[in-house]
Amino acid sequence: MRRDEIEGMVDRIIGSMRTLGAEAGGLKEDCPISIIDMNKWEWPQGVGLFALYLYYKETGRQDILADLIGWFDSRISEGLPDKNVNTACPMLTLSYLAEETGSPDYLALCREWARYLMEAMPRTEEAGFQHTVSGHLNEGELWDDTMYMAVLFLARTGIVLKDDSCLQESIRQFLVHLKYLTDPRTGLFYHGWSFERNDHFAGALWARGNAWYTAGLVDYLDMAPLPEGVKLFLLSSLERQVRKLAELQTEEGMWHTLLDDPSSYVETSATAAFAYGMLKAVRRGYLDGRYRASGLKALHAVVGQIDGEGVVRGVSYGTAVGHTLQQYKDIPLCPMPYGQSMALLALVEGLKHLEDERAAE
């Protein structure tokens, strides 16, 4: 694809993300706060906002920055929801805007929400962040989503506030989650762990949950100055995960929503996040160059899921930890902010690799 084609697709994706509403796909939502409507404050919107911020930093587009500031100012004036793992996600972008704009109000909110995570967030055994969400305490449960939704913000705010305790806590959370969620047979990650039952629920190796690590780690390493031993450990987990992902990738370049179950549907948001994480990790030198082909193959598959209006298709709705594998297969598909945002990031990252290819010709 040419640069102008990719840039046109990116603009359409952003335009579609801005107008996502609770009526998308005719789906009746089951979450207390809409996770489709971009004018609400929840985790999918947080993922979308962070992708938009990264795109702004890549391009310098002031209209994107103005939209982000306008979004936060509107939500803050409306009143923010209760604090939990998922509602912490938009705070990651706010931590960058606080630094960029110098707004004392933004900075105060970052400090308040970081203090909640450090001092009031419900914990599991070994002090893991209990995956408490809007409407559900999920007592004694670790979910792989938590690392992206809350821990990235905590690390980033530690940098902004010059509070090393936040950074150290982010390291602990990554290590505790990897300890209990890593499947030692494959290097993939289980969706969740219950300290109350001492099991991994249905034992689901869920694609998007895995993708939160693949896509999240490369950005975590950008924002957090880690001890070398910790960095090497996290990267070895990434390499082992990606090695297995390359084996499980479909001929078309996608991944199934249950990674090891070909009878489950292929899912676009996870595929886009894997593409982004793999390609950025290769470019940064975190992964061997042989994984570049898998990332580009995934990117081309994602492009095939983007319609003429910029809507990313084949994206599964929000997914709680399942007690049966069938629950994952039954999650409906509809346009979601995280599908739009991960496709955006994958396209922008892929453009760098395509340009490298042309430069080498």
Side-chain angles (χ1 to χ4, degrees), residues 28 71 94 110 118 139 147-148 157 159 161 177 180 182-183 188 209 259 269 272 281 284 351:
K28 183 178 180 180
W71 188 95
L94 192 65
C110 290
M118 292 291 288
E139 293 182 10
M147 291 182 280
Y148 198 102
T157 300
I159 302 303
L161 298 178
H177 280 76
Y180 285 97
T182 302
D183 172 22
L188 301 174
L259 289 167
S269 68
R284 287 278 197 252
L351 185 60

Side-chain angles (χ1 to χ4, degrees), residues 189-244:
F189 305 121
Y190 291 109
H191 188 180
W193 167 260
S194 168
F195 279 102
E196 294 190 349
R197 294 198 318 275
N198 289 317
D199 66 19
H200 292 106
F201 298 87
L205 299 172
W206 178 47
R208 192 163 59 242
N210 272 264
W212 294 134
Y213 186 77
T214 320
L217 181 64
V218 291
D219 292 329
Y220 181 56
L221 294 177
D222 276 354
M223 66 181 73
L226 302 178
E228 187 66 13
V230 172
K231 179 179 177 180
L232 292 173
F233 176 80
L234 295 177
L235 287 175
S236 69
S237 295
L238 177 68
E239 197 282 331
R240 190 152 184 257
Q241 180 207 36
V242 168
R243 190 190 324 158
K244 188 63 177 179

